[in-house]
Amino acid sequence: MTTSTQVVGNCRKLGAPKVFYIAADMASPEAPESVVQFALDKLGGLDYLVLNHIGGAPAGTRARSPQATRWLMQVNFLSYVQLTSLALPSLTDSKGSLVVVSSLLGRVPTSFSTPYSAAKFALDGFFGSLRRELDVQDVNVAITMCVLGLRDRASAAEAVRGVTRVKAAPGPKAALAVIRGGATRAAGVFYPWRFHLLCLLRRWLPRPRAWFIRQELNVTAAAAA
């Protein structure tokens, strides 16, 4: 796992004259306000808000308990809403950008990821509606929704170990796609690009056959989890 000190060091190597960071637990409803206020105090305003934090849960039937779902919704959805609401006035002043890192599971539901998928679908609905509200009000704040797949991070791999047969995509390439999308104020980013086709295909095949699902999942392992 990359530490905050390593991130700061990497930013300086890339030429950043100053680097600020704050540690926060997004499972706490009080954390978003302290994070945004810290950024405003240090930077004087915001041009970008990149929402990329995530709370993971092991894949399987046990992961859909009410307690796990409530925790995931706070970390993966409600904290995004809080951060956006708090940062929006500054982003409006700067005509800035919101970059929301979501998942294919927020567009295409899959088995054994119920609460995680629910939180990602909520992101898609919230920010899709917010984009329309801003357009109607002539507020020049761009919203970039990033639809990503499984990345080659240790934590992600551990969460789905033995459950999915899907290959992980390179993390640095996914990050570069997110950066490009935010910098160009693109409405959407799909990485890998074939995910865009999958999202379009779902409109014609809303309920895939069980045999198709089994090609991507180890159903026995997931049900036992």
Side-chain angles (χ1 to χ4, degrees):
M1 179 179 292
T2 304
T3 66
S4 299
T5 303
Q6 289 173 315
V7 172
V8 169
N10 289 338
C11 289
R12 286 177 174 158
K13 287 179 182 178
L14 292 171
K18 293 182 179 180
V19 182
F20 305 105
Y21 75 90
I22 178 174
D25 180 4
M26 287 300 156
S28 170
E30 292 76 30
E33 183 174 3
S34 63
V35 168
V36 173
Q37 191 58 53
F38 176 86
L40 293 174
D41 291 343
K42 293 295 185 180
L43 303 175
L46 295 174
D47 296 312
Y48 288 89
L49 176 63
V50 181
L51 300 172
N52 185 40
H53 60 275
I54 185 174
T61 55
R62 295 177 186 174
R64 61 174 181 247
S65 69
Q67 294 81 3
T69 301
R70 188 176 298 110
W71 183 84
L72 273 175
M73 289 300 288
Q74 171 59 40
V75 175
N76 291 358
F77 173 60
L78 293 176
S79 66
Y80 280 52
V81 174
Q82 291 175 278
L83 289 164
T84 298
S85 300
L86 293 163
L88 197 53
S90 181
L91 292 171
T92 300
D93 291 341
S94 67
K95 299 180 180 180
S97 296
L98 271 164
V99 181
V100 185
V101 179
S102 188
S103 168
L104 180 65
L105 300 188
R107 297 287 184 91
V108 180
T110 188
S111 307
F112 307 110
S113 62
T114 311
Y116 182 86
S117 185
K120 294 302 184 180
F121 265 88
L123 285 179
D124 197 58
F126 178 84
F127 286 100
S129 296
L130 179 60
R131 180 188 285 123
R132 293 194 175 190
E133 291 176 13
L134 298 178
D135 286 344
V136 168
Q137 297 169 354
D138 288 326
V139 176
N140 190 10
V141 174
I143 297 179
T144 300
M145 290 296 298
C146 303
V147 179
L148 308 182
L150 182 66
R151 272 95 74 204
D152 57 356
R153 295 180 291 113
S155 58
E158 184 61 31
V160 298
R161 185 182 302 278
V163 174
T164 182
R165 299 187 178 97
V166 175
K167 292 183 179 181
K173 291 186 178 180
L176 183 58
V178 171
I179 292 170
R180 284 175 174 166
T184 58
R185 299 170 74 89
V189 170
F190 294 86
Y191 187 86
W193 66 268
R194 67 178 182 275
F195 283 1
H196 196 186
L197 299 179
L198 288 175
C199 292
L200 294 174
L201 183 63
R202 183 181 176 247
R203 298 178 183 178
W204 289 280
L205 294 173
R207 297 185 63 184
R209 298 279 185 178
W211 66 263
F212 180 79
I213 296 174
R214 290 192 179 98
Q215 304 309 305
E216 304 295 336
L217 294 173
N218 182 345
V219 177
T220 302

